[in-house]
Each structure stands twice: as structure tokens, then as C-alpha cells.
Amino acid sequence: MTCRRMMIALLLAAGLTSGCTDTDFHRDGDDASESGSDGDADADGDSDSDGDGDTDTEGCQGVDFLFVVDNSLSMEDEQQNLINSFPEFISAITNTLGLDDFHIMVVDSDSRNQNVSFATNACGSVGCCATWCSTAFIYNECSETVGPPYYTCQEWLTGDPDNPVCDDLLGAGHVGGNYGQICSIDGSHRYLIEGQTDLVEAFACIADVDTVGNGHERMMVAMSNSVGPWSAPDGCNEDFIREEAILVVTFVTDEDEACTDYGEFCSEGTPADWKQALVEAKGGNEAAIVILGIFGDNDLVDGICLPYNPSVGTGAQPAPLLREFVDSFGEQGHFCSVCLPDYGECFQDAVNTIDMTCDDFVLE
């Protein structure tokens, strides 16, 4: 309960004024003295803010952070900027919210999402792919015919090329794999959880999604998949989305999501569709979502991005579709230019909104 709410509740319940300091704040609401005395409990001692007889829990008990990162050729500086900004951001969140119960997941924009294939082999005989792949990089592709379908070596070596493993699914949590690198993630999840060893170092590893991804990014499909089908039971991101937590989505890209020229190589749907995917993931509770979009600002009068030049990794595209998506969340949607030299202030601006969203969260 915030200081302001506690004062109002005390005034209504006891007709007394009261001082309120930062140390009075209990995010988890487990202080027995709060029950029945802070205005949140009804006559029988249960919290029932909506009067429907059900017990409601106020305040989030955790935060699920999803980072969607463009892994195309032009994104090296932006990815490093994100990694550099993370320690200050997570420290501010911890200090402001008074909790450290996090899920932190990174997904990228390419369905071959740990590395694009470096070589392709069409060998034309049964069993040849398994032999070839035993000495090849796992993201190389192989076919036992002279043409498609091609599968990654990892698919061949797992014995079931018709059922791609999580590493090859758009929207599955990134766990490493760049040039053989495997990140040290505690537990068996594809995301970081509370108590992660060397949190900052682990985030730097999973956020290094490299820059060899497909140039036709599918940022919003990756986002939708990550909190939708892949977060379902037995999915690659199982249990990432928690009922008692708020969802904070940050996406970083230097392009828009327009499908005009790229056909299937883009994010299908509209900003309303992408928003609906997040709302459904949170059980219809839009108030439990915060969006931070870091993308091009060329469409703004005071934009700082140069014209987009992917061959040298400079500038950014104007992104009206992504801006429409962020704006659809109202005060819970934040935007920063991807061309900023430092994202620290960008993240800091979002902290207060995350805190307010967590404080206003009601689990029915």
C-alpha cells in the first residue's frame, strides 16, 4: 500500500492523521498489523475491495520482464546499450518496488533465433545429415534430398527433424548458442528467476542475441509467441507468466513492423492484435502490463535518428506501427529513441510507472 493510500485509509477508519515514511511500506502485505486496520479489509477481516465477497490481493508479488531484441545486422550498438543499462535499471526496480521476485526473459526477432545457418548441405542419402552434422555447427542446415526441406543440425541430432527444439522457435527464451556460447542460467528455465547467480552477467549473456539474424525481423510475433503458446504448460517458456505478477515488456529495434514489402517475413496482424496477445496472456487484465518501446524516432519533429542505413548499422526507420502499439497502452506505454547513446534515463523514466502498476495491481 502506498503512503497516500495508507493515510486516506487511516483517516476514514479512525479519524486520525498519521505520519508515513518509506519504512512503513510493505509490498507483500504480510504484516499482521495491517489486517483490518489499514482500510483494505472488510468487516470479517478479508480483503474484498470490489465487494463481491471474494478475497482480493492488492499489490503485485513479482514482475515478469520480457525483453524482445532485434538480432539483425545493424543492432550491435543497440544491444550493447541495452546490456550496459540493465544493472542500473534492475537496481532501481528493486529499490523502488521493495521486492526482488523477478522472471527475466530475452527473445529475439528471428525464428532461427540463436544463429542464422552458416552452411547448407544437401547430401541425398538416408543418414547422411546425422553424419555431416556430427562435425558441423548445430545451426547449419541439412537435407537428405537435393532440395527442401532443410533442418538445422540440432534438429537432426535430437532425432526428430519434424519437431524443432526450443532453440529454433520464434519467441522461445534465449539461452545462448551464439558461436557455441551457453549462458549460465540457474534451474531448467529459459529465463532468469529470483536468486539467479551473477544476475547482471547472466543477463548480459542472454541479451547478447548477436547480429546474424534474418534482416526481416518479426518482433511482435516473437513477443506474442513468447507469452502465448510457448508459456503454456509444457511450452518452451513454461511458467514465465505468473498470475500474481505484472508483465513488463521492453522491445528494442531499429525497424518498424510493416509487412508491405516482405510478405511473410514480418509481424502479421495489427497493433491491436499485438496488444490483445499480451492482454490475453494476463487473463484480460490490461492494467497489469507496462510497455517500453525503444525504436526509431524519424517520424517525430525532434527525432534524433539518422536515416536508416542497415549496411553500416546507423540510423533507424520511422516506426508508426510500433508507436501506435505503445500509445495504445496510454500512461502505461513508454517510448525512447533507439538512437540514444545511453538507455539509462529511458529505463529510469519507466520505473515509476512500473511501481504504480505494481501498487495498483489487484489479484482477484
Side-chain angles (χ1 to χ4, degrees), residues 44-185:
D44 60 5
D46 295 329
S47 175
D48 183 17
S49 60
D50 56 13
D52 61 2
D54 295 328
T55 299
D56 301 334
T57 300
E58 290 192 5
C60 75
Q61 302 303 301
V63 183
D64 298 332
F65 289 102
L66 171 64
F67 293 85
V68 187
V69 184
D70 184 343
N71 69 336
S72 61
L73 180 63
S74 59
M75 286 293 295
E76 182 176 0
D77 291 343
E78 291 82 356
Q79 290 178 19
Q80 191 59 52
N81 200 345
L82 171 65
I83 291 170
N84 293 343
S85 302
F86 178 77
E88 182 180 353
F89 174 55
I90 201 65
S91 177
I93 288 292
T94 301
N95 294 334
T96 302
L97 271 65
L99 55 77
D100 58 2
D101 186 3
F102 304 138
H103 284 179
I104 302 173
M105 183 166 66
V106 175
V107 302
D108 61 31
S109 57
D110 184 1
S111 58
R112 290 285 186 239
N113 68 340
Q114 313 298 14
N115 277 124
V116 166
S117 303
F118 286 95
T120 299
N121 184 50
C123 52
S125 62
V126 176
C128 66
C129 284
T131 300
W132 182 75
C133 286
S134 65
T135 58
F137 191 68
I138 61 174
Y139 295 103
N140 289 344
E141 290 185 327
C142 188
S143 176
E144 292 186 340
T145 65
V146 294
Y150 291 91
Y151 301 103
T152 66
C153 283
Q154 181 158 331
E155 291 166 332
W156 284 111
L157 295 176
T158 57
D160 189 1
D162 292 321
N163 292 292
V165 294
C166 290
D167 287 348
D168 292 313
L169 294 178
L170 180 63
H174 186 265
V175 295
N178 298 326
Y179 304 103
Q181 178 188 31
I182 300 298
C183 301
S184 297
I185 299 178

Side-chain angles (χ1 to χ4, degrees), residues 12-355:
L12 292 175
L16 299 174
T17 58
S18 172
C20 187
T21 67
D22 289 343
T23 57
D24 293 324
F25 180 84
H26 296 279
R27 174 70 68 187
D28 58 13
D30 59 2
D31 187 342
S33 65
E34 292 183 356
S35 179
S37 63
D38 61 2
D40 286 340
D42 59 19
D44 60 5
D46 295 329
S47 175
D48 183 17
S49 60
D50 56 13
D52 61 2
D54 295 328
T55 299
D56 301 334
T57 300
E58 290 192 5
C60 75
Q61 302 303 301
V63 183
D64 298 332
F65 289 102
L66 171 64
F67 293 85
V68 187
V69 184
D70 184 343
N71 69 336
S72 61
L73 180 63
S74 59
M75 286 293 295
E76 182 176 0
D77 291 343
E78 291 82 356
Q79 290 178 19
Q80 191 59 52
N81 200 345
L82 171 65
I83 291 170
N84 293 343
S85 302
F86 178 77
E88 182 180 353
F89 174 55
I90 201 65
S91 177
I93 288 292
T94 301
N95 294 334
T96 302
L97 271 65
L99 55 77
D100 58 2
D101 186 3
F102 304 138
H103 284 179
I104 302 173
M105 183 166 66
V106 175
V107 302
D108 61 31
S109 57
D110 184 1
S111 58
R112 290 285 186 239
N113 68 340
Q114 313 298 14
N115 277 124
V116 166
S117 303
F118 286 95
T120 299
N121 184 50
C123 52
S125 62
V126 176
C128 66
C129 284
T131 300
W132 182 75
C133 286
S134 65
T135 58
F137 191 68
I138 61 174
Y139 295 103
N140 289 344
E141 290 185 327
C142 188
S143 176
E144 292 186 340
T145 65
V146 294
Y150 291 91
Y151 301 103
T152 66
C153 283
Q154 181 158 331
E155 291 166 332
W156 284 111
L157 295 176
T158 57
D160 189 1
D162 292 321
N163 292 292
V165 294
C166 290
D167 287 348
D168 292 313
L169 294 178
L170 180 63
H174 186 265
V175 295
N178 298 326
Y179 304 103
Q181 178 188 31
I182 300 298
C183 301
S184 297
I185 299 178
D186 294 347
S188 59
H189 307 287
R190 300 185 72 87
Y191 48 86
L192 311 179
I193 62 174
E194 179 183 2
Q196 167 67 41
T197 305
D198 297 325
L199 176 62
V200 170
E201 182 178 339
F203 178 81
C205 185
I206 63 173
D208 178 15
V209 297
D210 222 312
T211 57
V212 292
N214 197 312
H216 304 320
E217 301 88 336
R218 303 177 70 194
M219 296 285 291
M220 295 293 101
V221 171
M223 177 195 72
S224 301
N225 286 350
S226 69
V227 299
W230 305 157
S231 287
D234 297 323
C236 296
N237 307 330
E238 182 178 15
D239 294 330
F240 172 71
I241 297 291
R242 296 173 293 171
E243 188 179 20
E244 71 276 12
I246 63 170
L247 173 63
V248 177
V249 179
T250 299
F251 63 90
V252 187
T253 182
D254 56 6
E255 295 188 43
D256 202 8
E257 292 288 281
C259 293
T260 305
D261 299 322
Y262 299 146
E264 63 178 310
F265 298 107
C266 63
S267 286
E268 302 88 346
T270 66
D273 296 326
W274 308 331
K275 177 180 180 179
Q276 185 61 29
L278 295 182
V279 173
E280 289 179 358
K282 290 304 298 176
N285 188 2
E286 181 181 336
I289 304 169
V290 176
I291 301 294
L292 174 57
I294 303 177
F295 52 89
D297 61 0
N298 311 63
D299 53 332
L300 301 179
V301 174
D302 56 351
I304 63 173
C305 288
L306 297 173
Y308 183 51
N309 188 339
S311 62
V312 295
T314 58
Q317 287 183 350
L321 288 176
L322 292 178
R323 190 176 304 283
E324 180 182 345
F325 170 69
V326 171
D327 288 347
S328 70
F329 287 88
E331 294 183 353
Q332 289 170 220
H334 287 260
F335 156 75
C336 291
S337 174
V338 72
C339 300
L340 287 169
D342 186 329
Y343 297 153
E345 185 175 346
C346 174
F347 281 119
Q348 187 60 51
D349 288 343
V351 168
N352 289 337
T353 299
I354 295 171
D355 181 41

